Amino acid sequence: MAVRRLAPKELQPESFAFTEENLAWAHQQIAKYPPGRQASAVIAIMWRAHEQLGGWITEAAIRAVADLLKMPHIRALEIATFYTMFQLQPVGKKVHVQVCGTTPCRLRGAEDIIKVCQNRIHHEPFHLSDDGNFSWEEVECLGSCVNAPMVMISKDTYEDLTPDNFGKVLDGFASGNFPTPGPQNGRQFSAPEGGPRVLQSVGAPDNDADHGAVQHPVLTDSDAKKPGAAANVQERPSPKPPADDATRKDR
Amino acid sequence: MIKLIVDGKEIEVPPEYTLMQACEAAGAEIPRFCYHERLSIAGNCRMCLVEVKGTPKPVASCAWGVRDCRPGPKGEPPEISTRSPMVKKAREGVMEFLLINHPLDCPICDQGGECDLQDQAMGYGADTSRFAENKRAVEDKYLGVLVKTSMNRCIQCTRCVRFASEICGVPEMGLTGRGEDVEITTYLESALTSELQGNLVDICPVGALTSKPYAFAARPWELGKTQSIDVMDAVGSAIRVDTRGREVMRILPRVNEAVNEEWISDKTRHIVDGLRTQRLDRPYVRENGKLRAATWSEAFAAIAAKLKDVKGERIGAIAGDLAAVEDMFALQDLMTRLGSANLATETTHAFDPSLGRASYIFNPTIAGIEQADALLIIGCNPRKEAAVLNARIRKRWRTGQMKIAVIGDHAELTYKYDYLGAGVDTLSELAAGKQSFADVLKGAKNPIVLVGAGVTARSDGAALLAMAAKLATDIGAIKDGWNGFAVLHSAASSVGALDIGFVPGEGGLTAAQMVGEGALDVMFSLGADEIKLPADAFVVYIGTHGDRGAHRADVILPGAAYTEKSGIYVNTEGRVQIAGRAAFPPGEAREDWAIIRALSDALGATLPYDSLVALRKALTEKVPHLLRIDQIEPADPAALAALARRGGGAIGKAPLLSPIGDFYLTNPIARASAVMAECSRVASGQILTAAE
């Protein structure tokens, strides 16, 4: 990691203004926090500005966010420079590739993926490709170690990469024929490659003369993709607040 | 109280103490970088590690409360050791990490000799480094005129960040980046806007932030150190004047909990170069409209010749902002002998000392601000009139226990306040109870009514002051054990002048009348530079700098600046303090009282004291409380009732604005200082950009 600085002056737009929609959203975020604590919304709102600007945050936007939250400019700058997810210089118009370079991906060939980036985009990270559509950087673990090596492009991960299928992913972005996120080698999520290997007999009563039980997967691909319940719905009723402390002696 | 065993010694400390405080109470010395007793706790330098018996790892004592220490298995008090091998090894490890990226440039570092890191490396540093890689390099940042940066030396203790946002109240400094790449900076390297930024240099434990004007000027061990008192404002901050030979090299704060804690304003600290430039180092006499260098006897002869046929009532004297009590006393004595009652200072015409001392001092005392729960500021910008006192107000405000309202300037004071209005009407509305803040004041236990220069500098100041005193009485600010009527003077000489009665006597003229056309034939000016002197009088100027007063003078008698004489100053709370002599006046300049004494001889009205000791004896015989150095003579609050009853006078409708336009250029020494001029330029430039 290198020292993170704001982009040079000539790249910085003069001003920044939230779109009406984003501003309304920002005010919603601010309303979540008690009065006087509106600065708590800074990361969410700065991230919205980051998205509105096409994947990077300008100096004017940092000031605008700070002013919106009535916090000193330097405090917003501290946050923008602390979190590496905030890009401080322009990124590719179509794609900013974040290549995971941490140990599991590295062992599974992240180096080759980085080479593809260097050859197709720019030799150096954080530089735009010649057409300005692509840029790349190496990041720390993005939590898909089972599907290493992997990259993250905007909010989606592309996993189980080889130089070949990663090339196709980039081609897809370049041509507008967007690739499907997830594993690029046909496997189901992080299930074993080539289909299930264990517990194959469970739930399969039919017998085969030669092999015994016929192998049926416990879950099929379509089962797994059924949407589950929303994360904030609990099966159990929510717990009651604790009863008054029985050890209290003042009553 | 909680019982602890520190290094085998049993002590009891209050439960809110941290381990570090407990260890210090037990007499153990704990090294630290990020911890500062007047700032919030960060706990990031890890130098203060101690061993707590039963914990597997050393703990940072600055961030560990004593109530969090577990007792032993049988209920024995927690045991802490600050000198065990584990502690030594842990601290050596921390020191090794700190020194990894710290440059070895102590020989060219201005902090050398007074550097916390240097000192503690003597105790915990290794003689060699195991770090073979490249050291980290950080660009130096621009922080303004007064603070020079050398960011390679920074150890990221964040004391400066906390100081700027907590004490100064200008959250302009920050720590950007993360991990190894963190950097201390302001937003896009804009200059700091605080009047207390010079303290950043003191607060920095290493040489990352050093004094720009003092850069490469001297080493601490070659300086003579004199304890003294600041005269830039009426707060009377405790300072230490460092001199090399005849020259004042720098001014540093001293700790005085009752006055300035350990802060001083930038004007106090950085007017040093003003003490060297524009100095009057020999007498001058005006001949044919031009000033000509003269000898002392020529100058005295010129004055004596002029005074020969002048009657007493045609002679007057005005004392300036920086005059010491002894100087004013000698001048007063001389004027009495010459038969004149025309005595005045530039700033005290609104006060009548005959009412009593309580009518003109800061009764609740500066430390007393920390007991107040409501503060009404009338016609005052404390940030400009007394920056250190403003920090004290902010300190109290940050506890959330004091409500503040302002009548006068709607200025940025570094704390939130209710702005009631600018004018006299608002004050009368408040007095009539029509403003909601009146209820806050009435309901408060210890309210303060603070009156500043925006009131006292006005020609109708006396009437306004009476109005404020009446308000203070009505809201119950004056009661047993609490007197909430606070006058914030803007000049160091003011309270001293009022104490000795350096005011117009029976039938005497006020300052405004004296400078009127044709009012006087001869005028003595004791460093009065803020007032326009009359064009037709013969002006004798006793002062230090070639400023406004000297330009108008007919005879100039070169005096000593506050670092060049021992003098008594009484601060705004009535605290008698004594400034020490750190250097000698330049050239033929002399101490002011000695000039007046010699002049009295030449005029045939010899003053009866030949030494400063004799002068002080005469002075304290007349005003005995000036003998009690560092104390405040208790003032009888009855004076305020008298002041309130007096009322009086028509009151103009003009807003109560503070007369101090430029904080950095309020007196002749500051105006002679290039550093202050640069500060003023930067500060005004910022106002321009902000208005765009």
Side-chain angles (χ1 to χ4, degrees):
Chain A
M1 209 172 72
V3 179
R4 286 159 53 78
R5 291 281 156 77
L6 295 182
K9 245 192 187 138
E10 51 274 19
L11 292 177
Q12 296 279 5
E14 284 282 302
S15 62
F16 172 85
F18 277 110
T19 61
E20 246 169 64
E21 188 192 344
N22 283 346
L23 195 62
W25 182 88
H27 283 298
Q28 271 175 24
Q29 299 301 308
I30 295 170
K32 284 182 181 176
Y33 303 98
R37 301 274 181 237
Q38 63 273 63
S40 302
V42 64
I43 294 184
I45 291 173
M46 199 180 281
W47 185 244
R48 205 28 101 90
H50 191 270
E51 283 175 349
Q52 186 183 318
L53 285 162
W56 71 296
I57 189 109
T58 62
E59 190 266 320
I62 292 173
R63 264 188 289 127
V65 171
D67 291 342
L68 180 66
L69 298 173
K70 299 193 178 60
M71 58 199 282
H73 294 168
I74 181 75
R75 295 281 166 273
L77 181 74
E78 284 176 336
I79 287 161
T81 54
F82 182 86
Y83 291 105
T84 50
M85 70 184 190
F86 291 114
Q87 303 295 339
L88 300 180
Q89 56 286 101
V91 293
K93 280 202 277 293
K94 287 182 175 169
V95 172
H96 177 68
V97 184
Q98 294 177 297
V99 187
C100 174
T102 308
T103 319
C105 283
R106 191 60 73 159
L107 291 172
R108 298 273 292 154
E111 221 145 329
D112 298 332
I113 307 300
I114 289 171
K115 261 182 210 143
V116 173
C117 290
Q118 286 176 330
N119 292 337
R120 289 194 49 160
I121 299 173
H122 193 281
H123 187 73
E124 295 293 322
F126 298 113
H127 282 70
L128 297 183
S129 60
D130 291 339
D131 56 4
N133 286 339
F134 290 86
S135 59
W136 72 278
E137 68 173 307
E138 184 182 325
V139 296
E140 298 305 322
C141 183
L142 292 169
S144 295
C145 311
V146 180
N147 298 62
M150 59 83 69
V151 301
M152 190 165 179
I153 295 170
S154 73
K155 290 175 175 172
D156 292 318
T157 54
Y158 298 84
E159 302 149 357
D160 291 317
L161 298 175
T162 59
D164 276 350
N165 62 24
F166 178 52
K168 277 180 201 145
V169 169
L170 292 183
D171 289 339
F173 277 107
S175 63
N177 178 21
F178 296 112
T180 323
Q184 300 298 308
N185 63 351
R187 94 204 248 200
Q188 178 207 354
F189 301 139
S190 52
E193 272 179 53
R197 304 265 174 83
V198 292
L199 293 180
Q200 285 164 336
S201 61
V202 179
D206 354 11
N207 283 328
D208 186 282
D210 301 328
H211 298 97
V214 172
Q215 298 173 349
H216 286 297
V218 181
L219 285 174
T220 61
D221 274 10
S222 56
D223 286 337
K225 282 179 182 165
K226 268 182 204 158
N232 59 355
V233 177
Q234 287 192 325
E235 287 172 9
R236 284 172 298 153
S238 30
K240 281 181 196 157
D244 201 10
D245 188 352
T247 57
R248 271 176 69 180
K249 286 183 183 150
D250 55 350
R251 63 176 64 201
Chain B
M1 297 295 269
I2 286 187
K3 207 179 266 183
L4 289 172
I5 299 173
V6 178
D7 293 335
K9 188 177 162 191
E10 195 171 288
I11 55 155
E12 283 197 38
V13 292
E16 68 273 11
Y17 263 35
T18 62
L19 266 191
M20 178 183 276
Q21 287 171 307
C23 292
E24 294 204 319
E29 201 179 321
I30 310 281
R32 85 284 305 267
F33 293 113
C34 71
Y35 176 82
H36 191 281
E37 61 265 29
R38 286 175 221 280
L39 302 176
S40 62
I41 294 169
N44 56 5
C45 78
R46 317 309 289 181
M47 196 62 203
C48 61
L49 295 174
V50 297
E51 184 179 355
V52 180
K53 197 177 174 188
T55 52
K57 296 193 282 184
V59 301
S61 61
C62 72
W64 190 283
V66 289
R67 57 157 76 92
D68 299 333
C69 294
R70 282 196 201 169
K74 290 180 202 135
E76 352 27 2
E79 268 185 58
I80 290 111
S81 63
T82 65
R83 288 195 288 262
S84 68
M86 184 236 236
V87 170
K88 182 150 196 296
K89 194 178 172 207
R91 288 183 190 162
E92 280 171 358
V94 170
M95 178 58 75
E96 189 170 7
F97 273 121
L98 286 174
L99 292 179
I100 274 182
N101 278 322
H102 193 82
L104 291 175
D105 60 354
C106 301
I108 56 156
C109 174
D110 261 332
Q111 194 85 354
E114 48 189 3
C115 172
D116 288 0
L117 188 64
Q118 209 176 26
D119 295 348
Q120 291 173 35
M122 293 304 289
Y124 298 101
D127 54 349
T128 53
S129 176
R130 287 185 281 170
F131 186 73
E133 291 78 5
N134 288 330
K135 289 195 182 220
R136 179 182 98 114
V138 187
E139 288 112 320
D140 293 345
K141 307 291 188 294
Y142 173 78
L143 294 185
V145 185
L146 301 178
V147 182
K148 183 187 165 200
T149 63
S150 178
M151 289 323 227
N152 281 342
R153 299 174 187 151
C154 177
I155 58 168
Q156 291 91 37
C157 66
T158 69
R159 269 189 190 179
C160 52
V161 179
R162 285 173 283 144
F163 176 79
S165 48
E166 289 165 17
I167 309 286
C168 297
V170 287
E172 291 166 346
M173 297 201 76
L175 188 72
T176 63
R178 61 149 63 192
E180 193 202 19
D181 300 316
V182 289
E183 295 184 355
I184 293 284
T185 181
T186 54
Y187 189 74
L188 306 183
E189 300 193 30
S190 49
L192 292 162
T193 58
S194 174
E195 292 80 17
L196 298 171
Q197 56 178 288
N199 295 298
L200 283 171
V201 174
D202 291 340
I203 213 106
C204 182
V206 295
L209 306 180
T210 53
S211 171
K212 210 175 243 181
Y214 176 69
F216 308 127
R219 284 304 201 178
W221 55 83
E222 60 185 2
L223 296 172
K225 299 163 180 79
T226 311
Q227 302 200 338
S228 190
I229 294 299
D230 172 52
V231 300
M232 293 298 118
D233 50 34
V235 173
S237 304
I239 54 171
R240 193 185 90 194
V241 182
D242 283 5
T243 46
R244 189 176 57 190
R246 297 176 66 96
E247 205 175 12
V248 176
M249 299 306 291
R250 63 171 176 177
I251 291 171
L252 293 177
R254 274 189 299 137
V255 177
N256 186 347
E257 295 294 343
V259 178
N260 59 321
E261 297 181 270
E262 62 186 81
W263 319 123
I264 52 173
S265 73
D266 292 346
K267 194 162 53 176
T268 301
R269 186 186 298 261
H270 288 293
I271 40 101
V272 171
D273 65 329
L275 290 167
R276 294 176 205 137
T277 42
Q278 292 278 85
R279 286 304 296 269
L280 302 169
D281 58 356
R282 59 169 68 178
Y284 287 87
V285 176
R286 192 175 292 276
E287 275 176 4
N288 308 324
K290 270 187 163 175
L291 284 169
R292 150 183 95 76
T295 62
W296 280 102
S297 45
E298 281 174 330
F300 286 156
I303 300 167
K306 185 73 194 175
L307 271 173
K308 206 156 46 179
D309 314 319
V310 178
K311 281 197 196 128
E313 60 261 32
R314 299 288 292 170
I315 307 171
I318 297 184
D321 290 354
L322 309 180
V325 173
E326 292 94 336
D327 309 339
M328 288 186 285
F329 180 76
L331 185 57
Q332 184 188 31
D333 214 351
L334 175 62
M335 296 305 285
T336 316
R337 277 157 211 269
L338 294 176
S340 166
N342 303 330
L343 292 169
T345 71
E346 294 172 298
T347 50
T348 55
H349 61 269
F351 302 97
D352 182 357
S354 64
L355 288 172
R357 211 157 177 251
S359 67
Y360 59 84
I361 63 172
F362 197 97
N363 291 296
T365 73
I366 294 171
I369 293 172
E370 292 184 40
Q371 268 102 52
D373 46 5
L375 171 64
L376 174 67
I377 298 174
I378 306 171
C380 181
N381 181 343
R383 190 172 170 183
K384 283 183 176 172
E385 288 172 31
V388 175
L389 186 132
N390 197 49
R392 188 76 82 135
I393 297 176
R394 179 177 157 77
K395 183 182 178 188
R396 178 60 179 168
W397 172 80
R398 283 185 79 232
T399 64
Q401 295 172 60
M402 180 163 76
K403 289 204 171 114
I404 305 170
V406 170
I407 299 175
D409 288 276
H410 198 170
E412 170 56 52
L413 293 181
T414 74
Y415 38 81
K416 280 205 187 97
Y417 56 83
D418 290 345
Y419 183 64
L420 305 181
V424 179
D425 293 344
T426 320
L427 185 59
S428 16
E429 271 174 36
L430 187 75
K434 281 184 211 149
Q435 293 265 0
S436 62
F437 197 78
D439 300 331
V440 176
L441 284 171
K442 277 186 188 136
K445 207 165 132 260
N446 293 332
I448 294 181
V449 175
L450 192 158
V451 183
V455 167
T456 58
R458 284 165 61 124
S459 53
D460 53 2
L464 273 167
L465 202 67
M467 198 171 165
K470 186 163 184 313
L471 174 70
T473 317
D474 290 349
I475 59 160
I478 296 140
K479 50 194 162 194
D480 269 353
W482 181 260
N483 186 342
F485 183 72
V487 178
L488 180 56
H489 289 273
S490 53
S493 64
S494 301
V495 178
L498 292 167
D499 272 357
I500 61 165
F502 197 92
V503 289
E506 204 68 32
L509 302 175
T510 64
Q513 288 163 340
M514 274 192 250
V515 298
E517 208 70 14
L520 294 178
D521 288 336
V522 177
M523 155 91 84
F524 288 95
S525 159
L526 189 60
D529 288 290
E530 318 306 317
I531 202 163
K532 196 175 175 304
L533 297 176
D536 51 356
F538 181 84
V539 175
V540 179
Y541 179 80
I542 307 170
T544 55
H545 283 72
D547 205 69
R548 290 168 203 163
H551 282 240
R552 168 60 197 86
D554 294 291
V555 175
I556 294 175
L557 305 176
Y562 71 107
T563 51
E564 295 152 7
K565 62 186 174 198
S566 174
I568 292 172
Y569 289 91
V570 189
N571 83 350
T572 191
E573 40 173 9
R575 187 182 301 277
V576 182
Q577 302 189 104
I578 194 153
R581 185 173 71 188
F584 290 97
E588 293 175 41
R590 293 289 180 271
E591 291 177 32
D592 300 35
W593 77 267
I595 295 172
I596 296 163
R597 165 70 181 73
L599 179 62
S600 72
D601 211 20
L603 298 181
T606 312
L607 297 174
Y609 21 80
D610 298 333
S611 68
L612 192 57
V613 177
L615 166 57
R616 284 201 179 132
K617 193 153 172 274
L619 170 66
T620 49
E621 263 163 27
K622 198 179 157 210
V623 193
H625 73 255
L626 292 177
L627 207 55
R628 292 188 271 284
I629 301 296
D630 285 337
Q631 290 175 39
I632 302 174
E633 178 77 0
D636 183 6
L640 289 170
L643 176 62
R645 265 198 311 277
R646 169 182 284 199
I651 295 175
K653 289 289 176 201
L656 301 165
L657 301 181
S658 175
I660 295 185
D662 195 331
F663 167 75
Y664 296 102
L665 301 176
T666 51
N667 63 50
I669 309 180
R671 281 190 289 269
S673 158
V675 177
M676 286 296 108
E678 183 71 1
C679 283
S680 163
R681 191 187 63 75
V682 169
S684 58
Q686 259 160 356
I687 291 160
L688 283 180
T689 32
E692 279 169 6

